[in-house]
Amino acid sequence: MITPAVSSLPAVQGLAAENLGVFGRDPWWLIIVKAIFCFAFAMLTVLFSIVWERKVVAWMQLRIGPNRHGPWGMLQSLADGVKLMLKEDLVVKGADKVVYILAPIVATIPAFMAFAVIPFGPANNEISIFGTRTPMQLTDLPVGVLYILAVASVGIYGVVLAGWSSGSTYPLLGGLRSTAQMISYEIAMGISFAAVFLYSHSMSTSQIVATQHDKWYVVLLPVSFIVYIVSMVGETNRAPFDLPEAEGELVGGFNTEYSSIKFALFMLAEYVNMVTVSAIATTLFLGGWRAPWPITAFWAGANHGWWPLLWITIKIQLLLFFFIWLRGTLPRMRYDQFMKLGWKVLIPVSMVWLMLVATVRALRNENYDFQRIVLYVGGGVLALLLLSLVVDVFRDRGRREPAESGAPGDRFDPMAGGFPVPPRPGQTLPPVPRRRPRGERQLVNATDTAETADKEQEGDNA
Amino acid sequence: MTETTVGIGGAAEGTDMVLNIGPQHPSTHGVLRLRLILDGERISHAEPVIGYMHRGAEKLFEARDYRQIIMLANRHDWLSAFSNELGVVIAVERMLGMEVPERAVWTRTLLAELNRVLNHLMFLGSYPLELGGITPVFYAFREREELQNILEEVSGGRMHYMFNRVGGLKEDLPNGWLGRAREAVADVRSRMDVFDRLVLGNEIFRGRTRGVGVLTPQTVHAYGVSGPIARASGVDFDLRRDEPYLAYGELQDTLNVATRTEGDCLARFECLLEQTHNSLDLADACLDRIAELPPGPINQRLPKVLKAPEGHTYAWTENPLGINGYYLVSKGDKTPYRLKLRSASYNNIQALTELLPGTLVADMVAILGSMFFVVGDIDK
């Protein structure tokens, strides 16, 4: 098991060096119990959230949703899972068999692994399991968030390899899209994390939650939060960024050729990923296991004992609801549009934001007072905005001018020199008068409507 | 024409990929097949392969008498059954020189417009679905349900009404139906802002459709594209206005032909939406008029054996998807000698060979959806 050494970095600004000594001291059986808990938590949340998604989308679409299996249709996803396991497992002839079988496994396992460092409660041995006091977290690393990033990137390989190894056209396109998509959001995602590190002075998840004791980072770093929310939807291949599996275009995308348990694994991976990224968003921006403000105001015990488990579950569920809401509302983006969003909006915005955050932190460290910081930063932002507006205005003008200067073709004389001639490029034929209506009912204003209708009739009788 | 590329090493193996969209594909709603040649995700060549659903309607027409033809004719475009029936009965009535009672003319106009709304609602719902928005289709179907109920009350059918007869309609409207129809039309109109604002106002939707698949007026003329698709390209041609049949001559004040000049997917969708609004208005105008009409017959008594006199005629109507025409040649028999069917989707879909090359696979779906076709109407 991983036993992280206590960080030897010098203390920064009054904050003690990361003290991860509580982790890695559990007995072996407790580690297994915790690992199983992480797995079970992810699985149960997935089982619930599939039914929940289908119910919520059904409500949004004036339908009822699943209601046959178990009370309120709660066992629907369990039944679906069993059904998928019992289905025939096809391997297409053109597939690269080893990679083809490996791909769903590569997609699924990393999805669970990120849960190892998600804190479900405070790190000071508050709970006791069979008499052993322990933190509510499987383990933690000094580079916990980097571990999450690394593991999440491996999961994408599952999608790419599935697309490639299927030996079929639609999956290949899906796999390619997935590669392009990953590049466009992962950078922005990493930068949005960096802003959090600047505030928390740590990359360990338990420390990040610990530093959010009075203000959550969603309040302090709203831009980073939004950037992460966008890129987490991209990472999980969910609508409106479900390009690799776009069912209207690529039938099923990377999973077109998959069936039975392999397909089930891809489905599982997608939903576990949703739970994982929601848990990460909760940990990094939404105060992790901390109770929301009005509760802590009148109930001091809300953040102690087993209660934090409840708060983090609620927060994860709310984020999952957000995923479902998006899916029920938005159409799919085109993949080049998503790349544009990634490269031209998310990355520059999060870079500028990171610089601002770094500037504010540096000024604070130099003991400038708050008003002056606001002045400097606000002034900088305003100057940037003005600059971009001016650039926009000039760019528009430059674009409009050539459009206006496009001269219309000179008038066309169909009987030039006494012979009927075809129109030259840019010229149009004069309108041919429309024949009279056949019925008894005559047109109210036949002449002018017929004329306007025929204006478009151009010399294309070739 | 075949093109041969000669090269050495990697260059000899082209990177082109042949992708078959359909005949089984979620966005071809039916069995249309597109054979695409791709370079990456860009389409370099597109060819619609049609005929998977050919049912030989034209040949069958020749073996059925004029009463039975109506039932066959309303099936090729299953979303505009009523308008399909109309063309046949208008052709036969014209051959017979038969006068249709005024009540029947107005009721036919009303039902044709309601049918148009039903058809358009289908596409207003299915187009966002093709772009990945899964919700609007259910709202479209709620409205469709409402209108289908009143049409069912009249004709007994929800899709294939079989309500037209040569010389009029099958029977008069049920008691109190006018009020219920007016209510349904008002209900549908009141909820149309789902499409006006929620779908059309969606930034992603606009981003996916604006400037995508621009159809030029020249292409429209060259391929005989018609209906809302042609009007979105600025070809302002609508038979209801330019060669009025039924009662459209008297509805010119209400009739508003929606046109755009952009010719892109967004323009096509906007045209369809505006036309839906206008059809609801037209339906209201028809309802007003029918309420004022004196009671009278709604059909003509027909002889036991209905024979069209020798001759030929061409009856075309502005169907929801475009111009639908029947060229009827009769040799004086019980059955037509030949009944040529000109269906809107058949021509509209041909323009895809011009529209698709140079676009992305994702755009292909947007363009295909915006061509508003019914596979039965293509394959006949």
Side-chain angles (χ1 to χ4, degrees), chain A residues 60-61 63 169-170 177 247-249 328 332 334 337 438 441 443 453 456 458 460, chain B residues 19-20 25-26 41 131 134-135 138-139 207-208 218 221 234 236 241 244 246 363 365:
Chain A
M60 290 177 176
Q61 299 175 344
R63 298 184 287 121
T169 44
Y170 288 119
R177 283 185 179 192
E247 78 271 359
E249 300 156 22
R332 183 180 308 116
R334 205 167 58 206
Q337 289 171 340
R438 193 175 354 218
R441 294 201 173 86
L443 237 58
E456 309 299 332
E458 285 164 44
D460 54 345
Chain B
L19 185 64
N20 273 303
H25 187 273
E41 273 219 29
L131 297 179
I134 52 175
T135 300
F138 292 95
Y139 288 79
R208 285 290 303 271
Q218 283 89 340
H221 288 303
D236 189 6
R241 181 197 61 203
L246 296 182
D363 282 339
V365 179

mmCIF file of all heavy atoms in Angstrom, chain A residues 60-61 63 169-170 177 247-249 328 332 334 337 438 441 443 453 456 458 460, chain B residues 19-20 25-26 41 131 134-135 138-139 207-208 218 221 234 236 241 244 246 363 365:
data_model
loop_
_atom_site.group_PDB
_atom_site.id
_atom_site.type_symbol
_atom_site.label_atom_id
_atom_site.label_comp_id
_atom_site.label_asym_id
_atom_site.label_seq_id
_atom_site.Cartn_x
_atom_site.Cartn_y
_atom_site.Cartn_z
ATOM 1 N N MET A 60 -39.032 15.390 -18.017
ATOM 2 C CA MET A 60 -38.810 16.537 -18.894
ATOM 3 C C MET A 60 -39.491 16.332 -20.243
ATOM 4 O O MET A 60 -39.754 17.285 -20.955
ATOM 5 C CB MET A 60 -37.308 16.733 -19.117
ATOM 6 C CG MET A 60 -36.588 17.229 -17.889
ATOM 7 S SD MET A 60 -34.835 17.340 -18.203
ATOM 8 C CE MET A 60 -34.283 18.064 -16.662
ATOM 9 N N GLN A 61 -39.713 15.071 -20.588
ATOM 10 C CA GLN A 61 -40.270 14.784 -21.905
ATOM 11 C C GLN A 61 -41.711 14.286 -21.835
ATOM 12 O O GLN A 61 -42.164 13.595 -22.741
ATOM 13 C CB GLN A 61 -39.401 13.739 -22.597
ATOM 14 C CG GLN A 61 -37.990 14.227 -22.800
ATOM 15 C CD GLN A 61 -37.096 13.168 -23.371
ATOM 16 O OE1 GLN A 61 -37.454 11.994 -23.347
ATOM 17 N NE2 GLN A 61 -35.955 13.569 -23.873
ATOM 18 N N ARG A 63 -43.082 11.984 -20.210
ATOM 19 C CA ARG A 63 -43.264 10.546 -20.179
ATOM 20 C C ARG A 63 -43.236 10.087 -18.728
ATOM 21 O O ARG A 63 -43.078 10.882 -17.816
ATOM 22 C CB ARG A 63 -42.130 9.852 -20.946
ATOM 23 C CG ARG A 63 -42.062 10.198 -22.394
ATOM 24 C CD ARG A 63 -40.987 9.407 -23.102
ATOM 25 N NE ARG A 63 -39.657 9.862 -22.772
ATOM 26 C CZ ARG A 63 -38.713 9.102 -22.230
ATOM 27 N NH1 ARG A 63 -38.965 7.856 -21.924
ATOM 28 N NH2 ARG A 63 -37.522 9.585 -21.985
ATOM 29 N N THR A 169 -16.007 1.337 -39.628
ATOM 30 C CA THR A 169 -15.911 2.768 -39.931
ATOM 31 C C THR A 169 -16.454 3.673 -38.832
ATOM 32 O O THR A 169 -15.772 4.606 -38.407
ATOM 33 C CB THR A 169 -16.660 3.073 -41.235
ATOM 34 O OG1 THR A 169 -17.896 2.380 -41.209
ATOM 35 C CG2 THR A 169 -15.875 2.630 -42.422
ATOM 36 N N TYR A 170 -17.656 3.417 -38.386
ATOM 37 C CA TYR A 170 -18.245 4.312 -37.378
ATOM 38 C C TYR A 170 -17.400 4.366 -36.107
ATOM 39 O O TYR A 170 -17.111 5.450 -35.601
ATOM 40 C CB TYR A 170 -19.674 3.878 -37.035
ATOM 41 C CG TYR A 170 -20.675 4.138 -38.120
ATOM 42 C CD1 TYR A 170 -21.367 3.101 -38.710
ATOM 43 C CD2 TYR A 170 -20.945 5.433 -38.547
ATOM 44 C CE1 TYR A 170 -22.303 3.341 -39.713
ATOM 45 C CE2 TYR A 170 -21.876 5.673 -39.538
ATOM 46 C CZ TYR A 170 -22.550 4.622 -40.115
ATOM 47 O OH TYR A 170 -23.469 4.855 -41.087
ATOM 48 N N ARG A 177 -12.603 11.117 -32.930
ATOM 49 C CA ARG A 177 -13.225 12.278 -32.301
ATOM 50 C C ARG A 177 -12.826 12.365 -30.835
ATOM 51 O O ARG A 177 -12.562 13.440 -30.314
ATOM 52 C CB ARG A 177 -14.746 12.176 -32.395
ATOM 53 C CG ARG A 177 -15.286 12.519 -33.737
ATOM 54 C CD ARG A 177 -16.780 12.492 -33.677
ATOM 55 N NE ARG A 177 -17.362 12.841 -34.957
ATOM 56 C CZ ARG A 177 -18.644 13.108 -35.120
ATOM 57 N NH1 ARG A 177 -19.447 13.065 -34.083
ATOM 58 N NH2 ARG A 177 -19.125 13.418 -36.292
ATOM 59 N N GLU A 247 -25.196 9.283 -31.341
ATOM 60 C CA GLU A 247 -26.002 8.214 -31.930
ATOM 61 C C GLU A 247 -26.712 8.646 -33.206
ATOM 62 O O GLU A 247 -27.034 7.806 -34.025
ATOM 63 C CB GLU A 247 -26.982 7.633 -30.899
ATOM 64 C CG GLU A 247 -28.222 8.457 -30.634
ATOM 65 C CD GLU A 247 -28.017 9.457 -29.532
ATOM 66 O OE1 GLU A 247 -26.900 9.468 -28.977
ATOM 67 O OE2 GLU A 247 -28.935 10.224 -29.234
ATOM 68 N N GLY A 248 -26.919 9.944 -33.397
ATOM 69 C CA GLY A 248 -27.570 10.375 -34.624
ATOM 70 C C GLY A 248 -26.641 10.366 -35.816
ATOM 71 O O GLY A 248 -27.082 10.318 -36.950
ATOM 72 N N GLU A 249 -25.331 10.443 -35.544
ATOM 73 C CA GLU A 249 -24.378 10.538 -36.645
ATOM 74 C C GLU A 249 -23.611 9.234 -36.822
ATOM 75 O O GLU A 249 -23.569 8.649 -37.891
ATOM 76 C CB GLU A 249 -23.371 11.664 -36.364
ATOM 77 C CG GLU A 249 -24.036 13.008 -36.216
ATOM 78 C CD GLU A 249 -23.199 13.966 -35.400
ATOM 79 O OE1 GLU A 249 -21.982 13.757 -35.298
ATOM 80 O OE2 GLU A 249 -23.768 14.924 -34.858
ATOM 81 N N GLY A 328 -31.098 16.439 -21.217
ATOM 82 C CA GLY A 328 -32.485 16.619 -21.630
ATOM 83 C C GLY A 328 -32.721 17.915 -22.375
ATOM 84 O O GLY A 328 -33.771 18.097 -22.977
ATOM 85 N N ARG A 332 -26.478 18.347 -29.580
ATOM 86 C CA ARG A 332 -25.056 18.028 -29.578
ATOM 87 C C ARG A 332 -24.272 19.073 -30.361
ATOM 88 O O ARG A 332 -24.742 19.605 -31.340
ATOM 89 C CB ARG A 332 -24.880 16.658 -30.224
ATOM 90 C CG ARG A 332 -23.485 16.133 -30.251
ATOM 91 C CD ARG A 332 -23.467 14.775 -30.908
ATOM 92 N NE ARG A 332 -24.437 13.883 -30.301
ATOM 93 C CZ ARG A 332 -25.474 13.390 -30.925
ATOM 94 N NH1 ARG A 332 -25.707 13.664 -32.166
ATOM 95 N NH2 ARG A 332 -26.304 12.589 -30.300
ATOM 96 N N ARG A 334 -21.077 20.262 -32.749
ATOM 97 C CA ARG A 334 -20.250 19.635 -33.757
ATOM 98 C C ARG A 334 -18.841 19.561 -33.198
ATOM 99 O O ARG A 334 -18.443 20.410 -32.414
ATOM 100 C CB ARG A 334 -20.289 20.483 -35.019
ATOM 101 C CG ARG A 334 -19.994 19.730 -36.269
ATOM 102 C CD ARG A 334 -20.376 20.568 -37.439
ATOM 103 N NE ARG A 334 -19.646 21.830 -37.392
ATOM 104 C CZ ARG A 334 -20.089 22.947 -37.944
ATOM 105 N NH1 ARG A 334 -21.262 22.965 -38.505
ATOM 106 N NH2 ARG A 334 -19.374 24.037 -37.907
ATOM 107 N N GLN A 337 -16.683 22.563 -33.462
ATOM 108 C CA GLN A 337 -17.151 23.646 -32.583
ATOM 109 C C GLN A 337 -16.667 23.434 -31.158
ATOM 110 O O GLN A 337 -16.293 24.378 -30.466
ATOM 111 C CB GLN A 337 -18.680 23.724 -32.604
ATOM 112 C CG GLN A 337 -19.228 24.251 -33.895
ATOM 113 C CD GLN A 337 -20.729 24.107 -33.975
ATOM 114 O OE1 GLN A 337 -21.337 23.311 -33.263
ATOM 115 N NE2 GLN A 337 -21.332 24.879 -34.851
ATOM 116 N N ARG A 438 -54.781 27.922 -63.852
ATOM 117 C CA ARG A 438 -55.711 27.137 -64.635
ATOM 118 C C ARG A 438 -57.144 27.232 -64.113
ATOM 119 O O ARG A 438 -58.096 27.293 -64.878
ATOM 120 C CB ARG A 438 -55.259 25.680 -64.605
ATOM 121 C CG ARG A 438 -55.960 24.848 -65.610
ATOM 122 C CD ARG A 438 -55.416 23.455 -65.659
ATOM 123 N NE ARG A 438 -54.241 23.228 -64.822
ATOM 124 C CZ ARG A 438 -53.240 22.452 -65.204
ATOM 125 N NH1 ARG A 438 -53.253 21.899 -66.396
ATOM 126 N NH2 ARG A 438 -52.238 22.224 -64.390
ATOM 127 N N ARG A 441 -60.739 30.229 -60.175
ATOM 128 C CA ARG A 441 -60.392 31.249 -59.192
ATOM 129 C C ARG A 441 -59.122 31.949 -59.640
ATOM 130 O O ARG A 441 -58.063 31.343 -59.703
ATOM 131 C CB ARG A 441 -60.183 30.610 -57.831
ATOM 132 C CG ARG A 441 -61.446 30.019 -57.272
ATOM 133 C CD ARG A 441 -61.314 29.870 -55.786
ATOM 134 N NE ARG A 441 -62.597 29.455 -55.224
ATOM 135 C CZ ARG A 441 -62.992 28.195 -55.142
ATOM 136 N NH1 ARG A 441 -62.219 27.224 -55.544
ATOM 137 N NH2 ARG A 441 -64.168 27.915 -54.622
ATOM 138 N N LEU A 443 -56.042 34.754 -59.469
ATOM 139 C CA LEU A 443 -55.192 35.282 -58.416
ATOM 140 C C LEU A 443 -55.646 36.680 -58.028
ATOM 141 O O LEU A 443 -56.086 37.452 -58.868
ATOM 142 C CB LEU A 443 -53.771 35.360 -58.950
ATOM 143 C CG LEU A 443 -52.752 34.586 -58.144
ATOM 144 C CD1 LEU A 443 -53.171 33.142 -58.102
ATOM 145 C CD2 LEU A 443 -51.411 34.721 -58.807
ATOM 146 N N ALA A 453 -41.840 35.901 -57.802
ATOM 147 C CA ALA A 453 -41.519 34.477 -57.787
ATOM 148 C C ALA A 453 -40.498 34.143 -58.854
ATOM 149 O O ALA A 453 -39.685 33.247 -58.682
ATOM 150 C CB ALA A 453 -42.789 33.662 -58.007
ATOM 151 N N GLU A 456 -36.124 34.834 -59.164
ATOM 152 C CA GLU A 456 -35.058 33.907 -58.809
ATOM 153 C C GLU A 456 -34.748 32.941 -59.954
ATOM 154 O O GLU A 456 -33.758 32.244 -59.927
ATOM 155 C CB GLU A 456 -35.448 33.102 -57.583
ATOM 156 C CG GLU A 456 -35.921 33.930 -56.433
ATOM 157 C CD GLU A 456 -34.861 34.879 -55.941
ATOM 158 O OE1 GLU A 456 -33.667 34.565 -56.089
ATOM 159 O OE2 GLU A 456 -35.221 35.949 -55.443
ATOM 160 N N GLU A 458 -33.245 31.636 -62.783
ATOM 161 C CA GLU A 458 -32.061 32.082 -63.487
ATOM 162 C C GLU A 458 -31.683 31.102 -64.579
ATOM 163 O O GLU A 458 -32.203 29.999 -64.648
ATOM 164 C CB GLU A 458 -30.924 32.267 -62.484
ATOM 165 C CG GLU A 458 -31.147 33.520 -61.678
ATOM 166 C CD GLU A 458 -30.286 33.536 -60.435
ATOM 167 O OE1 GLU A 458 -29.122 33.194 -60.541
ATOM 168 O OE2 GLU A 458 -30.829 33.877 -59.378
ATOM 169 N N ASP A 460 -30.517 28.454 -65.865
ATOM 170 C CA ASP A 460 -29.865 27.191 -65.543
ATOM 171 C C ASP A 460 -30.603 26.057 -66.226
ATOM 172 O O ASP A 460 -30.754 24.980 -65.691
ATOM 173 C CB ASP A 460 -29.840 26.981 -64.028
ATOM 174 C CG ASP A 460 -31.220 27.090 -63.437
ATOM 175 O OD1 ASP A 460 -32.111 27.593 -64.146
ATOM 176 O OD2 ASP A 460 -31.410 26.686 -62.294
ATOM 177 N N LEU B 19 -18.139 5.235 -46.425
ATOM 178 C CA LEU B 19 -19.037 5.098 -45.284
ATOM 179 C C LEU B 19 -20.464 4.991 -45.798
ATOM 180 O O LEU B 19 -20.930 5.860 -46.540
ATOM 181 C CB LEU B 19 -18.897 6.314 -44.363
ATOM 182 C CG LEU B 19 -19.677 6.269 -43.060
ATOM 183 C CD1 LEU B 19 -19.180 5.152 -42.168
ATOM 184 C CD2 LEU B 19 -19.570 7.579 -42.337
ATOM 185 N N ASN B 20 -21.116 3.926 -45.428
ATOM 186 C CA ASN B 20 -22.514 3.755 -45.812
ATOM 187 C C ASN B 20 -23.397 4.261 -44.692
ATOM 188 O O ASN B 20 -23.415 3.694 -43.607
ATOM 189 C CB ASN B 20 -22.815 2.280 -46.069
ATOM 190 C CG ASN B 20 -22.499 1.902 -47.482
ATOM 191 O OD1 ASN B 20 -23.034 2.494 -48.413
ATOM 192 N ND2 ASN B 20 -21.599 0.956 -47.649
ATOM 193 N N HIS B 25 -29.979 3.390 -40.332
ATOM 194 C CA HIS B 25 -29.223 4.409 -39.609
ATOM 195 C C HIS B 25 -30.224 5.332 -38.923
ATOM 196 O O HIS B 25 -31.250 5.668 -39.499
ATOM 197 C CB HIS B 25 -28.354 5.208 -40.588
ATOM 198 C CG HIS B 25 -27.412 6.171 -39.924
ATOM 199 N ND1 HIS B 25 -27.799 7.438 -39.604
ATOM 200 C CD2 HIS B 25 -26.142 6.043 -39.522
ATOM 201 C CE1 HIS B 25 -26.778 8.057 -39.027
ATOM 202 N NE2 HIS B 25 -25.758 7.230 -38.965
ATOM 203 N N PRO B 26 -29.921 5.734 -37.682
ATOM 204 C CA PRO B 26 -30.909 6.517 -36.938
ATOM 205 C C PRO B 26 -31.325 7.815 -37.624
ATOM 206 O O PRO B 26 -32.442 8.284 -37.396
ATOM 207 C CB PRO B 26 -30.216 6.806 -35.609
ATOM 208 C CG PRO B 26 -28.869 6.224 -35.679
ATOM 209 C CD PRO B 26 -28.771 5.361 -36.869
ATOM 210 N N GLU B 41 -13.084 13.379 -41.663
ATOM 211 C CA GLU B 41 -14.530 13.482 -41.446
ATOM 212 C C GLU B 41 -15.190 14.290 -42.547
ATOM 213 O O GLU B 41 -16.373 14.582 -42.488
ATOM 214 C CB GLU B 41 -14.821 14.111 -40.082
ATOM 215 C CG GLU B 41 -14.863 13.075 -38.983
ATOM 216 C CD GLU B 41 -15.948 13.336 -37.963
ATOM 217 O OE1 GLU B 41 -16.975 13.914 -38.296
ATOM 218 O OE2 GLU B 41 -15.733 12.944 -36.812
ATOM 219 N N LEU B 131 -29.976 16.417 -34.296
ATOM 220 C CA LEU B 131 -28.833 17.205 -33.827
ATOM 221 C C LEU B 131 -28.470 16.835 -32.396
ATOM 222 O O LEU B 131 -27.590 17.443 -31.804
ATOM 223 C CB LEU B 131 -29.143 18.691 -33.912
ATOM 224 C CG LEU B 131 -29.396 19.218 -35.319
ATOM 225 C CD1 LEU B 131 -29.704 20.690 -35.287
ATOM 226 C CD2 LEU B 131 -28.198 18.960 -36.217
ATOM 227 N N ILE B 134 -32.765 15.607 -27.435
ATOM 228 C CA ILE B 134 -33.708 14.488 -27.419
ATOM 229 C C ILE B 134 -35.101 14.893 -26.964
ATOM 230 O O ILE B 134 -36.026 14.108 -27.074
ATOM 231 C CB ILE B 134 -33.184 13.340 -26.529
ATOM 232 C CG1 ILE B 134 -32.807 13.882 -25.167
ATOM 233 C CG2 ILE B 134 -32.009 12.660 -27.179
ATOM 234 C CD1 ILE B 134 -32.405 12.793 -24.204
ATOM 235 N N THR B 135 -35.267 16.095 -26.434
ATOM 236 C CA THR B 135 -36.537 16.426 -25.810
ATOM 237 C C THR B 135 -37.615 16.983 -26.762
ATOM 238 O O THR B 135 -38.761 16.573 -26.654
ATOM 239 C CB THR B 135 -36.303 17.382 -24.634
ATOM 240 O OG1 THR B 135 -35.445 16.731 -23.705
ATOM 241 C CG2 THR B 135 -37.582 17.740 -23.941
ATOM 242 N N PHE B 138 -40.762 15.051 -28.179
ATOM 243 C CA PHE B 138 -41.903 14.647 -27.359
ATOM 244 C C PHE B 138 -42.940 15.757 -27.272
ATOM 245 O O PHE B 138 -44.128 15.502 -27.213
ATOM 246 C CB PHE B 138 -41.437 14.229 -25.965
ATOM 247 C CG PHE B 138 -40.624 12.967 -25.993
ATOM 248 C CD1 PHE B 138 -39.253 13.013 -26.047
ATOM 249 C CD2 PHE B 138 -41.251 11.742 -26.009
ATOM 250 C CE1 PHE B 138 -38.508 11.862 -26.099
ATOM 251 C CE2 PHE B 138 -40.509 10.579 -26.067
ATOM 252 C CZ PHE B 138 -39.140 10.641 -26.113
ATOM 253 N N TYR B 139 -42.451 16.992 -27.282
ATOM 254 C CA TYR B 139 -43.383 18.126 -27.268
ATOM 255 C C TYR B 139 -44.102 18.219 -28.609
ATOM 256 O O TYR B 139 -45.291 18.527 -28.663
ATOM 257 C CB TYR B 139 -42.634 19.412 -26.921
ATOM 258 C CG TYR B 139 -42.235 19.439 -25.469
ATOM 259 C CD1 TYR B 139 -41.133 18.736 -25.012
ATOM 260 C CD2 TYR B 139 -43.030 20.100 -24.540
ATOM 261 C CE1 TYR B 139 -40.798 18.705 -23.687
ATOM 262 C CE2 TYR B 139 -42.708 20.082 -23.206
ATOM 263 C CZ TYR B 139 -41.586 19.377 -22.777
ATOM 264 O OH TYR B 139 -41.280 19.343 -21.451
ATOM 265 N N GLY B 207 -25.819 27.341 -33.996
ATOM 266 C CA GLY B 207 -24.443 27.110 -34.429
ATOM 267 C C GLY B 207 -24.326 25.911 -35.349
ATOM 268 O O GLY B 207 -23.504 25.890 -36.259
ATOM 269 N N ARG B 208 -25.161 24.901 -35.095
ATOM 270 C CA ARG B 208 -25.087 23.701 -35.924
ATOM 271 C C ARG B 208 -25.730 23.906 -37.289
ATOM 272 O O ARG B 208 -25.471 23.153 -38.226
ATOM 273 C CB ARG B 208 -25.813 22.536 -35.236
ATOM 274 C CG ARG B 208 -25.076 21.912 -34.081
ATOM 275 C CD ARG B 208 -23.858 21.140 -34.508
ATOM 276 N NE ARG B 208 -24.147 20.085 -35.482
ATOM 277 C CZ ARG B 208 -24.481 18.857 -35.169
ATOM 278 N NH1 ARG B 208 -24.593 18.507 -33.922
ATOM 279 N NH2 ARG B 208 -24.710 17.960 -36.105
ATOM 280 N N GLN B 218 -30.100 28.316 -57.946
ATOM 281 C CA GLN B 218 -29.793 27.601 -59.188
ATOM 282 C C GLN B 218 -29.958 26.105 -58.985
ATOM 283 O O GLN B 218 -30.552 25.411 -59.818
ATOM 284 C CB GLN B 218 -28.349 27.882 -59.627
ATOM 285 C CG GLN B 218 -28.156 29.225 -60.270
ATOM 286 C CD GLN B 218 -27.833 30.303 -59.257
ATOM 287 O OE1 GLN B 218 -28.105 30.134 -58.064
ATOM 288 N NE2 GLN B 218 -27.283 31.411 -59.706
ATOM 289 N N HIS B 221 -33.570 25.108 -58.860
ATOM 290 C CA HIS B 221 -34.190 24.982 -60.176
ATOM 291 C C HIS B 221 -33.679 23.754 -60.901
ATOM 292 O O HIS B 221 -34.439 23.030 -61.541
ATOM 293 C CB HIS B 221 -33.901 26.234 -61.005
ATOM 294 C CG HIS B 221 -34.676 27.419 -60.532
ATOM 295 N ND1 HIS B 221 -36.039 27.425 -60.455
ATOM 296 C CD2 HIS B 221 -34.268 28.630 -60.091
ATOM 297 C CE1 HIS B 221 -36.451 28.590 -59.993
ATOM 298 N NE2 HIS B 221 -35.385 29.342 -59.759
ATOM 299 N N GLY B 234 -34.942 31.112 -51.284
ATOM 300 C CA GLY B 234 -35.371 32.324 -51.965
ATOM 301 C C GLY B 234 -36.187 32.067 -53.216
ATOM 302 O O GLY B 234 -36.517 32.996 -53.932
ATOM 303 N N ASP B 236 -39.415 31.758 -54.406
ATOM 304 C CA ASP B 236 -40.715 32.064 -53.806
ATOM 305 C C ASP B 236 -41.813 31.470 -54.675
ATOM 306 O O ASP B 236 -42.380 32.129 -55.534
ATOM 307 C CB ASP B 236 -40.854 33.591 -53.709
ATOM 308 C CG ASP B 236 -42.071 33.975 -52.896
ATOM 309 O OD1 ASP B 236 -42.715 33.053 -52.341
ATOM 310 O OD2 ASP B 236 -42.376 35.158 -52.816
ATOM 311 N N ARG B 241 -50.603 29.919 -53.560
ATOM 312 C CA ARG B 241 -50.744 31.315 -53.932
ATOM 313 C C ARG B 241 -50.656 31.491 -55.442
ATOM 314 O O ARG B 241 -51.398 32.257 -56.037
ATOM 315 C CB ARG B 241 -49.641 32.132 -53.256
ATOM 316 C CG ARG B 241 -49.712 33.613 -53.565
ATOM 317 C CD ARG B 241 -48.402 34.270 -53.226
ATOM 318 N NE ARG B 241 -47.328 33.685 -54.024
ATOM 319 C CZ ARG B 241 -46.046 33.718 -53.679
ATOM 320 N NH1 ARG B 241 -45.670 34.281 -52.550
ATOM 321 N NH2 ARG B 241 -45.133 33.167 -54.461
ATOM 322 N N PRO B 244 -53.892 28.841 -57.283
ATOM 323 C CA PRO B 244 -54.711 28.372 -56.151
ATOM 324 C C PRO B 244 -55.660 27.246 -56.542
ATOM 325 O O PRO B 244 -56.300 27.303 -57.570
ATOM 326 C CB PRO B 244 -55.504 29.616 -55.751
ATOM 327 C CG PRO B 244 -54.838 30.748 -56.409
ATOM 328 C CD PRO B 244 -54.160 30.229 -57.612
ATOM 329 N N LEU B 246 -58.433 24.286 -54.432
ATOM 330 C CA LEU B 246 -59.356 24.316 -53.286
ATOM 331 C C LEU B 246 -59.825 25.732 -53.036
ATOM 332 O O LEU B 246 -60.165 26.457 -53.974
ATOM 333 C CB LEU B 246 -58.670 23.742 -52.042
ATOM 334 C CG LEU B 246 -58.274 22.267 -52.092
ATOM 335 C CD1 LEU B 246 -57.669 21.855 -50.771
ATOM 336 C CD2 LEU B 246 -59.463 21.388 -52.408
ATOM 337 N N ASP B 363 -22.210 17.562 -40.082
ATOM 338 C CA ASP B 363 -23.068 18.443 -40.872
ATOM 339 C C ASP B 363 -23.996 17.638 -41.760
ATOM 340 O O ASP B 363 -25.110 18.072 -42.049
ATOM 341 C CB ASP B 363 -22.213 19.356 -41.752
ATOM 342 C CG ASP B 363 -21.628 20.500 -40.964
ATOM 343 O OD1 ASP B 363 -22.185 20.791 -39.893
ATOM 344 O OD2 ASP B 363 -20.626 21.073 -41.410
ATOM 345 N N VAL B 365 -25.606 15.081 -41.058
ATOM 346 C CA VAL B 365 -26.837 14.797 -40.327
ATOM 347 C C VAL B 365 -27.735 16.028 -40.304
ATOM 348 O O VAL B 365 -28.944 15.945 -40.525
ATOM 349 C CB VAL B 365 -26.504 14.342 -38.902
ATOM 350 C CG1 VAL B 365 -27.767 14.082 -38.130
ATOM 351 C CG2 VAL B 365 -25.661 13.104 -38.938
#
